[in-house]
């Protein structure tokens, strides 16, 4: 992974995966807002496991590049069978890819055993893959103090979001917000990895006051002094902030477009003159009914009074002395 292609290729894979999840989660929620339930991966009609096959293929290519194709001797070990210092990062990167391969392989097996019971375990395996990624990038054997270290530090923030939302998806499978943020964070991982690949291994994009230097078999960016290093790190922070704003605008616009396209369509039509007249007639009839009811009530009350007075007169007291 310590090359331009080594960052751009997996970054593009992360971006596609996050974009694929974002589309399907928004579509599923727009079509079933009341019964929405998140999915750890999305099958297709023609090839059910195409997403998982894509992860397995990408992980296999990554491991092959790190351990067999990339090294000069096409294997990462020294003649005595030990791991040389310049190949430590190859083993770290390949371990991340192996964990994602394990996730995809067991997701297929769990789906074949019982689709209804596989959700929690599949989510847990996904969280394990993100946890492995966070662990190895946090304790990376590459430079932690320079510009490359700043890029890796900010990448870890995005990985934490992916890990947290994957774990939250286990107890809250009906939360669209959790799935939405997880998809966006996976997309962000991809964009940031692509940016790292181009900035750290393209001489014309290296910050002013810094230069590319060959160390332990791979190129790293070094700065001429503390001021140049501080400026370079600040530029990385600003770049991360701009990408955060950009990815937020992108996913929100995408959400609004897909919601309009897949959501429930409510049609509003203007009333015609005939319907207007019918409503007026219904209203006038209702008013007439109310007036009639009032008249009946008034008349009935008056009749009751006179009847009561009449009955009172007919039962006048009798003069017993007479």
């Amino acid at each position: 992974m310590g090359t331009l292609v080594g960052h751009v290729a997996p970054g593009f894979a992360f971006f596609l995966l996050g974009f694929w999840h974002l589309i399907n989660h928004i579509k599923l929620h727009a079509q079933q807002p009341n019964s929405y339930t998140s999915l750890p991966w999305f099958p297709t009609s023609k090839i059910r496991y195409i997403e998982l096959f894509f992860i397995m293929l990408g992980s296999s290519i990554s491991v092959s590049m790190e351990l067999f194709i990339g090294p000069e001797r096409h294997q990462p070990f020294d003649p005595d069978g030990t791991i040389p210092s310049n190949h430590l990062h190859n083993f770290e990167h390949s371990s991340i890819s192996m964990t994602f391969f394990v996730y995809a392989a067991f997701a297929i097996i769990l789906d074949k055993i019982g689709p209804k019971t596989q959700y929690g375990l599949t989510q847990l395996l996904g969280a394990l893959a993100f946890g492995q990624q966070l662990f190895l990038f946090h304790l990376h054997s590459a430079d932690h103090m320079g510009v490359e270290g700043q890029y890796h530090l900010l990448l870890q923030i995005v990985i934490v979001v992916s890990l947290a939302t994957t774990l939250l998806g286990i107890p809250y499978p009906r939360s669209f917000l959790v799935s939405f943020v997880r998809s966006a964070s996976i997309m962000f991982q991809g964009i940031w990895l692509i940016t790292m690949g181009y900035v750290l291994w393209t001489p014309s994009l290296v910050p002013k006051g810094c230069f590319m230097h060959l160390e332990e078999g791979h190129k790293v960016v070094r700065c001429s002094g503390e001021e140049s290093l501080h400026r370079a790190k600040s530029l990385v922070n600003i770049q991360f902030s701009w990408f955060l704003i950009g990815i937020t605008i992108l996913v929100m616009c995408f959400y609004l477009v897909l919601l309009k396209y897949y959501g429930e369509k409510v049609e509003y039509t203007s009333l015609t003159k005939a319907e207007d007249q019918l409503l007026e007639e219904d209203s006038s009839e209702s008013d007439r009914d109310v007036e009639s009811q009032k008249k009946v009530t008034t008349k009935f009350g008056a009749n009751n009074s006179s009847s009561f007075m009449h009955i009172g007169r007919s039962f006048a007291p009798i003069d017993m002395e007479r």
Side-chain angles (χ1 to χ4, degrees):
M1 188 182 275
T3 61
L4 187 150
V5 177
H7 282 79
V8 172
F12 190 64
F14 271 103
F15 177 80
L16 286 180
L17 186 63
F19 191 64
W20 168 252
H21 274 230
L22 190 69
I23 292 174
N24 284 281
H25 281 302
I26 295 174
K27 179 181 176 182
L28 187 62
H29 183 260
Q31 293 177 338
Q32 303 172 8
N34 298 323
S35 59
Y36 166 83
T37 302
S38 174
L39 295 175
W41 54 274
F42 290 92
T44 58
S45 56
K46 293 183 179 180
I47 305 175
R48 178 174 177 80
Y49 303 114
I50 190 169
E51 176 187 331
L52 301 175
F53 288 154
F54 172 76
I55 295 174
M56 293 172 69
L57 177 63
S59 300
S60 300
I61 294 173
S62 176
V63 172
S64 300
M65 289 295 298
E66 294 287 347
L67 300 182
F68 306 109
I69 300 174
E72 294 180 1
R73 292 191 297 269
H74 300 295
Q75 56 90 14
F77 297 100
D78 270 340
D80 60 355
T82 59
I83 301 174
S85 298
N86 62 323
H87 283 167
L88 287 172
H89 66 282
N90 296 97
F91 278 90
E92 292 167 348
H93 299 157
S94 62
S95 297
I96 295 172
S97 300
M98 288 178 188
T99 312
F100 279 103
F101 184 94
V102 170
Y103 155 75
F106 275 101
I108 294 174
I109 296 171
L110 290 171
D111 183 70
K112 289 183 177 294
I113 292 174
K116 293 183 179 179
T117 59
Q118 54 87 29
Y119 176 81
L121 285 175
T122 305
Q123 285 286 91
L124 184 62
L125 289 170
L128 178 65
F130 287 126
Q132 174 83 300
Q133 186 187 18
L134 177 63
F135 166 73
L136 290 173
F137 276 132
H138 183 69
L139 302 175
H140 206 280
S141 61
D143 178 34
H144 288 270
M145 303 303 294
V147 180
E148 184 179 353
Q150 190 70 11
Y151 272 104
H152 280 95
L153 176 63
L154 297 177
L155 176 63
Q156 291 172 50
I157 297 175
V158 187
I159 298 173
V160 166
V161 176
S162 300
L163 172 60
T165 49
T166 304
L167 288 172
L168 284 172
I170 299 174
Y172 302 107
R174 299 177 65 85
S175 174
F176 169 71
L177 186 59
V178 170
S179 303
F180 183 81
V181 174
R182 181 173 66 248
S183 304
S185 68
I186 296 173
M187 283 179 61
F188 199 170
Q189 279 195 56
I191 293 173
W192 195 241
L193 283 169
I194 293 171
T195 305
M196 287 175 62
Y198 279 106
V199 173
L200 294 176
W201 282 274
T202 304
S204 60
L205 297 177
V206 173
K208 185 170 60 176
C210 302
F211 54 91
M212 297 185 69
H213 182 65
L214 185 64
E215 293 181 7
E216 296 183 349
H218 67 282
K219 295 179 179 180
V220 296
V221 175
R222 294 298 180 198
C223 298
S224 56
E226 286 296 324
E227 185 178 350
S228 299
L229 178 60
H230 179 73
R231 178 180 179 276
K233 287 185 175 181
S234 298
L235 289 175
V236 175
N237 296 338
I238 293 171
Q239 194 177 52
F240 184 85
S241 301
W242 286 353
F243 274 112
L244 178 61
I245 296 170
I247 196 72
T248 302
I249 295 172
L250 175 64
V251 297
M252 290 307 300
C253 290
F254 200 66
Y255 170 77
L256 294 174
V257 170
L258 288 184
L259 185 67
K260 184 177 181 181
Y261 185 78
Y262 289 110
E264 297 178 358
K265 295 180 175 60
V266 181
E267 295 183 356
Y268 297 92
T269 56
S270 59
L271 293 174
T272 62
K273 291 183 178 179
E275 290 172 334
D276 250 351
Q277 187 177 359
L278 184 61
L279 286 174
E280 288 177 3
E281 290 176 358
D282 289 342
S283 178
S284 59
E285 285 180 6
S286 299
D287 293 341
R288 284 197 295 270
D289 290 343
V290 171
E291 290 296 329
S292 301
Q293 186 67 28
K294 286 180 180 178
K295 289 178 181 178
V296 170
T297 305
T298 305
K299 184 178 180 182
F300 181 73
N303 289 340
N304 281 350
S305 306
S306 58
S307 300
F308 179 77
M309 294 293 293
H310 180 70
I311 292 171
R313 292 191 195 99
S314 61
F315 285 92
I318 301 173
D319 191 353
M320 295 299 294
E321 292 180 358
R322 245 164 134 184

